[in-house]
Structure formats: structure tokens, C-alpha cells
Amino acid sequence: MTPLHTTGARRRRVGAAAAAAGLLAALLTAGPAVAIPDPGDAPAGGEVSSSQEAGTRSAIASGEIPAVDEIVHSDNIEHVSNIPKDAIKGTNSDLAFQGSYAFAGNYDGFRIFDISDPRSPKSVAQVLCPGSQNDISVSGDLLFLSTDSSRSDNSCSSTSQPATEKSSWEGMKIFDISDKRNPKYVAAVETACGSHTHTLVPERRDVYVYVSSYAPNAAFPDCRPPHDGISVIKVPRKAPEKAAVVNFPVLFPGEGPDGGGNPGGPTNPGVSKTTGCHDITVLPSKDLAAGACMGDGILLDIEDPENPRVIDIVQDNVNFSFWHSATFNQKADRVVFGDELGGGVAATCNTRVGPNRGADGIYDITGKGDRRKLVFRSYFKIDRHQADTENCVAHNASLIPVKGRDIMVQAWYQGGVSVVDFTDADRAEEIAYFERGPVSTGNLVVAGSWSAYYYNGYIYSNDMAKGLDVLRIDDRRTDAGARVRMHELNVQTQPDYFEDFED
């Protein structure tokens, strides 16, 4: 790998740090780790041992890692601006874009920014509407918000209520954003097991919403096993109040009370049992989708968006713990799956965990039609060592639209933002990065970049604790991406950048 020039602290290599007993060491020492789903309403953290704290302080003193909250980045990245949290105080989550606006999810609601000048974003609206994790998308005049915490009702003034109560509500909320300064709540649709994430399949008259959720329990009246599928919601654009679930395709058919999919442990120790999907990315121009479904990665045909069909299923019971997300390359002959080892609340970017666990898995798509197969090529993981007080693992990513190359930008929580060239599927390479030092030396505080997406020449990162960061990459390998001007971007609804948007 070609070394990167840096500003601030020197380049940090995973292999350069001495292995230390880390947070959740009992889970991370031998073999694949037990998976922990994404954090709930109150993301976890906690004190670390005195030796871990001493190790973090020593790494800072030696320049191996940045100081607390210190910003470092490669020379080809510029930190353009940061907008801290304001009225909405919860954990920041996903991002969506439309025209000159960015929409930022937060466990307590969402925020709208005017990004017509990326060097000086302006907050134009903040909507308080608690209900983790408030995964967010936009299409036309509609904004979609996921609720994956059991609530007393579907209003924005609801309170937490046990999922064992039949009256509890989880699902999708829909807002009218024709006036960006005054969003209006217009509809809600309850879905089985709530909506951890969602994916839009937009059509002219309607928007289909694929709702991903998981973790059923026999004690939950609205979320009982088996739960081996996704909810499909149809939303009429002109009458969103008529939105309704129109299908629940079972993606992992199987006999017995637990259905199909990866059985997890003890059959596959340290691997999540598949009880639904975490995230789905669709490529409408190719009628294709890739699903990250806990213990399985899947490829789907979505020619009929109301009835998605599984084409292929793969598992990695050695290095993957929790299949979290997926990103296609532009040619749709490759997909990158992310593994969320430790659920995003553990320190996994270090020598002790190694380069393959908590990494991206790069897969080629071979064959045609229903004979298409996912074929493993390699792993990629950032090699910048992170301290035992820094939660770090592969998270949400998007393509940088450059013809002839496969380049993506990806969030790694406190591992920061990484720009990765995976044109050579066997030797993916980090070509740029941005990150902060640990939030604390004495506690593991869950923070860092949740989503890092490229939009109209800039990278936008929603940091869970620090707010919205805007970055600009200046590199001959990515400069052409700035010529692709998009009018709307939901990363999980991956566009054909060159057919739809290139100037």
C-alpha cells in the first residue's frame, strides 16, 4: 500500500500497536466475536481498565494516535466545515440529500441543512421526533423516517413503552418536506419488528419502501419469530396518508419456529443468527439489490419491486459476525459488504482483532440472470490503529462516481472517514482519510462517523457526537466525481450516476 502523507499525528498502522486487552475482550479473543446489534436508544459505552487507559495515554504521548478530539487527515483531504448538534441532542445517524439540502437523522428526530455553500452550511429546520434510529430518506416532497424502538404511539411526542405491550408502535413515519423550513408529519405505517433501516425503490406514481428489521421475540406481540423477511410498503406520492404494507416476502424460508437463514451459534460460533435483514441497497437501473442480513449476504432481483426475489445467498462463518451494509460498484458486477463486529460499540480496529474481522468483504457478481453468484475476492479494513477507548468498525459507505474505477468513501465510527479504491478487488487500498482522536482516554464513548457519503463534489459525514462534517478530497483519482451533479441521493437507493446525472 502506498503510504499517505498526513497532517497532525503520524500515520497509524494496526500492526504498529502492541496488542492490549480491549473492551469486550472476553468476546474478542478467540475466534469470531459474538455479534451485538446496533446500539438502541442509549448507545452503550463504559469505563475501560487502568491498563487500557494507560495504553491510550501512551499512544497519544508517542504520537501513535491523535490527542483527544484532535483532527488528523491525509494531505488530499480538506476539513471544510463542522456544524455541531443544536436543539436535537441525540445520537446522529444517517444522511440523505436533495438539491442544495442535506437531511441528517438523529435518534431524537432529524435536521435539515442548506448546503448550497458547503463551506458554511445553514440549519433550516430541526424536528423533534424520538424513535431510534431514525434512518432517513427523501423522495420528491416526501421524507421517510424509521422507528426501531418501542413507542407508546406513532406520534412525535410518544414515549418509550415495552415491546411486550400489544399497543406499542414501531415502523415508518412519513413527512411532507415541500417546505424545507416547516416539515409536516403526514403518515405512519406500523411494521413487524419496527424499522431498523429502510430502502426506497422510487417509481413515478408510488414509492416502495423495503423495511429491514430483526431480533424477534416470542414475548413481543408484534415481533414474533420466525421473522425471515422484509416489509414492503407502497406509498402513493399524491396520497401518502394511504401508505400501507403490501407484502412481506420471506427471504429465508425454512421449517420450524426459527425459520431459515444462518443458524448462528452454536452451529456457527460468534456469528449472528439471521432473523431478518439489517440493510438493503438497491440498484434500480439494474433491477438488483444486495441485502446485509445478519448472518447472510444476499443478492435479489427487484424487477417487480413489490415482490423481490433472492438470487444468491452467501455466508462467511469465519470472519463475518454481523452482515451490516452493502455497496455496489457502478457496473453492478461487484458488491462490498460490511461486517459490524461488536455492534459498533467495541474497539475492533487493532492488532488484537486483526485485519479480517470487522472488515469489508469484497465480492464479484458472476453469471447472468437467476444464475448470478456472489464470489468472494478479499477483505479490506483500515490499518490505522485505534485505541481501546475508540469504537471502530466498518459502517455506512457510498460510491465516488469516477468512470473506470471503483472508489467509495466509508464511515468507520471513531476510525473516521476512509476513501477506498477497490478497483483491484484483491488489493483494495485506502487513498485518503479523516479522523479525530478518541473522545476520552478513560471511557469508551460511542462516537464517530455514522455515515460518510459523497455528494456533488464534497464528502458529508454525520458524526454521532460531533455533528455534521464537510470534507473535500483533492485527488486526481477522484476529481472527476465532482462533475457528476445529483439532484437527489439516498445512498441505499444507488443511482446510475453516469446515465442519470453527469453534466
Side-chain angles (χ1 to χ4, degrees), residues 1-6 11 13 74 429-431 433 477:
M1 179 180 290
T2 303
L4 298 176
H5 297 291
T6 66
R11 175 75 166 161
R13 301 282 184 183
S74 52
E429 174 187 19
E430 181 175 77
I431 62 173
Y433 74 91
R477 292 164 289 192

Side-chain angles (χ1 to χ4, degrees), residues 437-494:
V439 174
S440 169
T441 59
N443 294 278
L444 191 150
V445 179
V446 175
S449 179
W450 178 289
S451 299
Y453 298 151
Y454 187 89
Y455 181 71
N456 291 350
Y458 291 84
I459 295 168
Y460 296 85
S461 168
N462 209 19
D463 188 292
M464 289 187 279
K466 302 299 182 181
L468 182 73
D469 287 306
V470 185
L471 313 173
R472 184 178 179 275
I473 182 169
D474 181 8
D475 191 289
R476 59 178 176 76
R477 292 164 289 192
T478 62
D479 287 347
R483 294 197 292 269
V484 179
R485 310 301 293 181
M486 291 169 274
H487 58 77
E488 190 170 273
L489 178 64
N490 302 295
V491 166
Q492 287 73 33
T493 306
Q494 198 167 308

